[in-house]
Amino acid sequence: QVQLVESGGGLVQPGGSLRLSCAASGSIFSIITMFWYRQAPGKQRELVAAITAGGSTNYADSRKGRFTISRDNAKNTVYLQMNSLKPEDTAVYYCNAGVATTGAWWEDMDYWGKGTLVTVSS
């Protein structure tokens, strides 16, 4: 089994910064694409950013320039650096990853973390 554990959330003032981490553990051959999603109270879950195994990144248009996704393949960890935070960034942030567990492509699996809460408020 593979587990994803997010950390780094908390309370931050508007304009502040946080760095979220998501560490993958378990039976991992390699991690393919990793994603950050978020879900605000009463809202649908939305994609924030993505990063491929090769390091290519993509962001939601409204967050490009404030958020940066990165990964450390040796540590099986993905990060989300969030700067200039706004109250509307308040949400539970979830890590998602496509994981190759055996090296056999037909056994690739999709995993979700349980989320970390980010609250942006004065």
Side-chain angles (χ1 to χ4, degrees):
Q1 290 290 306
V2 175
Q3 292 182 325
L4 303 179
V5 180
E6 301 97 335
S7 62
L11 177 64
V12 63
Q13 293 184 326
S17 299
L18 285 174
R19 190 178 77 156
L20 306 183
S21 299
C22 173
S25 62
S27 183
I28 299 172
F29 183 81
S30 65
I31 299 177
I32 309 167
T33 304
M34 304 187 77
F35 307 83
W36 284 101
Y37 288 80
R38 71 183 185 186
Q39 187 168 22
K43 302 292 183 64
Q44 296 295 312
R45 189 171 299 183
E46 63 175 342
L47 177 67
V48 177
I51 185 166
T52 69
S56 297
T57 60
N58 198 12
Y59 302 89
D61 291 342
S62 63
R63 282 164 286 281
K64 188 174 183 178
R66 294 195 299 121
F67 292 8
T68 302
I69 188 171
S70 61
R71 64 190 290 171
D72 185 336
N73 290 333
K75 297 180 180 179
N76 288 331
T77 299
V78 63
Y79 305 94
L80 184 68
Q81 178 68 45
M82 305 187 294
N83 300 321
S84 301
L85 285 164
K86 304 174 181 179
E88 53 263 41
D89 295 319
T90 296
V92 177
Y93 285 72
Y94 297 91
C95 178
N96 173 262
V99 179
T101 57
T102 67
W105 64 266
W106 58 91
E107 295 181 354
D108 290 355
M109 298 290 291
D110 183 52
Y111 293 91
W112 287 89
K114 294 184 177 181
T116 185
L117 177 63
V118 172
T119 302
V120 184
S121 176
S122 60

